[in-house]
Amino acid sequence: MDPASGNTLPGEATRVPTYDDALRLAYETHGPILLNYLLRLTMGNRGMAEDILQETLMRAWNHPEARTEDGQWSRGWLFTVARRIAIDHIRSAQGKPTEQLDERAESRHTAADDIDRMINTREVRSAVARLPERLRSALIEIYFQEHSVAEAAQNLSVPEGTVKSRTFYALRALHEDLTARGFHV
C-alpha cells in the first residue's frame, strides 16, 4: 500500500474485511452513539443499556441483510432494533413486581402479640434463672451485657476458654429447658 495516497500498489493483494471486522467497526462507530441513546431510553440504567447494545450488535451479526452496500451496518437499522429491544426490556421490567417492604406492617401489632412477647420473655428469664450460677453468669456477660469473651473472662475471673465452654453449655441447657416447656427454639 502506498502510504502517501492510501492506494493499493500494483501486484499487492487487498485485505478483504471479514464479517467480524465489520462488526468490530460497527461497535467502534455506532456503539458510543447507541449507548447514549439507550441510556436515555432506560432512564440512565447503564447495565440495561449495555445489555441492549450487546443484544443489538448480536442481532446485527445474525442479520447480514442489515448491512449497506459498502459492508457497514445501517445506523437506522441498528437504532430501530435497539429501540425495539429497549421497549421489550422496559416492558419486561415493568411486568415484574418489585418487592416493597411495608414498614407499617412491622409497626402493627396486636395486644395478643404483646402478651405473647411478655410470656416468652418471662419464660426465657425463668429458664435463665434456673441455670447453675456458673453457666448463668457467663451467658449474661456474653449475651445480655454484650461483653467480649475477654471482657467476660476478666469480669468473671476465669480463663477465656472457660467462658466459651460455659456459654456453650448454658445455651444448650437453655435450649433443652425451653424445648421441654413447649417452645420451638
Side-chain angles (χ1 to χ4, degrees):
M1 177 173 282
D2 180 16
S5 67
N7 295 330
T8 305
L9 296 174
E12 185 179 17
T14 60
R15 183 176 175 273
V16 176
T18 65
Y19 203 58
D20 291 338
D21 292 336
L23 185 61
R24 187 176 301 107
L25 182 62
Y27 178 76
E28 291 168 359
T29 305
H30 305 293
I33 297 165
L34 272 170
L35 184 60
N36 284 332
Y37 173 69
L38 291 169
L39 282 169
R40 285 192 308 270
L41 288 179
T42 61
M43 310 270 211
N45 185 334
R46 187 169 193 85
M48 184 185 286
E50 288 174 349
D51 287 347
I52 295 168
L53 174 62
Q54 184 176 14
E55 190 173 336
T56 301
L57 292 174
M58 287 303 298
R59 287 194 188 173
W61 191 71
N62 289 323
H63 292 277
E65 69 275 6
R67 294 174 74 177
T68 60
E69 293 173 7
D70 64 348
Q72 303 301 316
W73 269 275
S74 163
R75 181 175 281 189
W77 187 91
L78 291 170
F79 273 82
T80 300
V81 170
R83 182 175 166 277
R84 289 178 182 163
I85 295 170
I87 290 169
D88 289 345
H89 276 254
I90 292 167
R91 283 182 182 159
S92 174
Q94 288 173 346
K96 296 177 186 171
T98 57
E99 182 175 321
Q100 296 178 352
L101 296 177
D102 185 4
E103 291 83 20
R104 296 172 298 167
E106 292 176 6
S107 65
R108 284 186 223 134
H109 59 276
T110 63
D113 292 337
D114 290 338
I115 293 170
D116 286 343
R117 190 175 302 117
M118 285 174 34
I119 291 171
N120 291 343
T121 301
R122 186 174 299 147
E123 284 298 320
V124 170
R125 285 185 179 170
S126 179
V128 169
R130 286 190 292 274
L131 291 172
E133 173 58 32
R134 61 184 171 60
L135 300 181
R136 182 175 57 248
S137 60
L139 190 70
I140 289 171
E141 284 286 326
I142 297 295
Y143 287 98
F144 295 107
Q145 295 181 356
E146 298 179 352
H147 289 149
S148 69
V149 172
E151 292 169 332
Q154 185 178 9
N155 292 344
L156 297 172
S157 302
V158 295
E160 290 180 21
T162 302
V163 171
K164 290 178 184 179
S165 67
R166 286 181 181 175
T167 303
F168 170 80
Y169 289 116
L171 288 173
R172 190 167 77 178
L174 191 61
H175 181 268
E176 290 171 0
D177 186 347
L178 290 172
T179 302
R181 294 181 176 276
F183 284 88
H184 299 286
V185 186

